[in-house]
Amino acid sequence: ESAGSDAKNLRVKLVLLGDSGVGKSCIVLRFVRGQFDPTSKVTVGASFLSQTIALQDSTTVKFEIWDTAGQERYAALAPLYYRGAAVAVVVYDITSPHSFHKAQYWVKELQKHGSADIVMALVGNKADLQDKREVSVQDGTEYAEKNGMFFIETSAKTADNINQLFEEIAKRLP
Ligand code: GTP
Ligand code: MG
């Protein structure tokens, strides 16, 4: 097919991974419903939502999103959700070096056990909290580059870069 001439409808299984409290559920809520919940509850097990976007060439991409629970007690469940996923979005909180280390753990886990052709994105969330930043843009960028990932900083609170995150993922689908 020549680029841009034929409309396609893609369906994509996407999993979000990352430490508890980094904002995974808020990113999904912002993307799917355009809302932000400052009192967001911790996710139990995982939750499922879907959202369809249209690209410029009139391709549509339906994201089937598995929002996993970041609390340690749920770690053993993660393979159920990332197995067979075409896309993994690994999230950390730019104010938390611990969450950045946890993100690296998930990247290694995905490299070992995820699909061979998985598209991976590294997301530094809570970019609105610049005065509390403890993970530099450079640290995120370098780690992502080394691991062949797409990198972006987002804010589920202000909506900054949330749609861009999913649009960039869509562009990178095989
Ligand atoms: P688990 O479900 O336990 O894995 O956590 P989670 O990653 O889903 O975190 P959640 O989305 O529930 O957000 C945790 C807290 O961070 C909530 O109090 C949110 O309001 C807050 N939060 C999420 N995203 C942002 C953001 O971009 N900026 C700011 N300032 N706060 C955020
Ligand atoms: Mg959650």
Side-chain angles (χ1 to χ4, degrees), residues 6 10 15 29 46 50 61 65 76 80 89 95-96 98 121 131 165:
D6 294 78
L10 304 175
V15 63
L29 186 70
S50 73
V61 181
I65 303 170
L80 296 176
V89 175
T95 74
S96 163
H98 173 79
D131 51 338
L165 164 63

Side-chain angles (χ1 to χ4, degrees), residues 2 25 27 49 72 78 91 104 115-116 122 131 147 152 154 157 161 163 167 172:
S2 60
S25 298
I27 289 170
L49 285 106
E72 201 56 46
V91 184
Q104 297 176 24
S115 309
L122 181 67
D131 51 338
N147 290 278
I152 194 167
T154 59
K157 185 175 181 179
N161 274 349
N163 288 336
E167 283 161 16
R172 286 168 170 78

Side-chain angles (χ1 to χ4, degrees), residues 59-111:
T59 295
T60 66
V61 181
K62 181 182 185 188
F63 287 107
E64 299 177 335
I65 303 170
W66 286 100
D67 171 24
T68 66
Q71 287 186 333
E72 201 56 46
R73 71 184 77 163
Y74 301 113
L77 296 178
L80 296 176
Y81 302 104
Y82 68 64
R83 202 171 289 145
V87 179
V89 175
V90 180
V91 184
Y92 65 91
D93 167 352
I94 67 154
T95 74
S96 163
H98 173 79
S99 76
F100 185 54
H101 290 291
K102 202 66 203 275
Q104 297 176 24
Y105 161 82
W106 284 118
V107 171
K108 289 187 193 110
E109 185 84 2
L110 289 161
Q111 287 169 341

Side-chain angles (χ1 to χ4, degrees), residues 26 29 36-42:
C26 287
L29 186 70
F36 177 69
D37 178 7
T39 64
S40 179
K41 303 283 182 301
V42 300

Side-chain angles (χ1 to χ4, degrees), residues 119-136:
V119 173
M120 290 199 286
L122 181 67
V123 175
N125 189 44
K126 308 199 185 182
D128 55 289
L129 301 177
Q130 285 300 330
D131 51 338
K132 292 187 181 147
R133 176 190 288 277
E134 290 198 35
V135 181
S136 70

Side-chain angles (χ1 to χ4, degrees), residues 10 53-61 63 166-168 170-171 173:
L10 304 175
I53 64 169
L55 303 181
Q56 277 180 343
D57 64 356
S58 69
T59 295
T60 66
V61 181
F63 287 107
F166 290 90
E167 283 161 16
E168 289 299 328
K171 285 187 206 161
L173 294 172

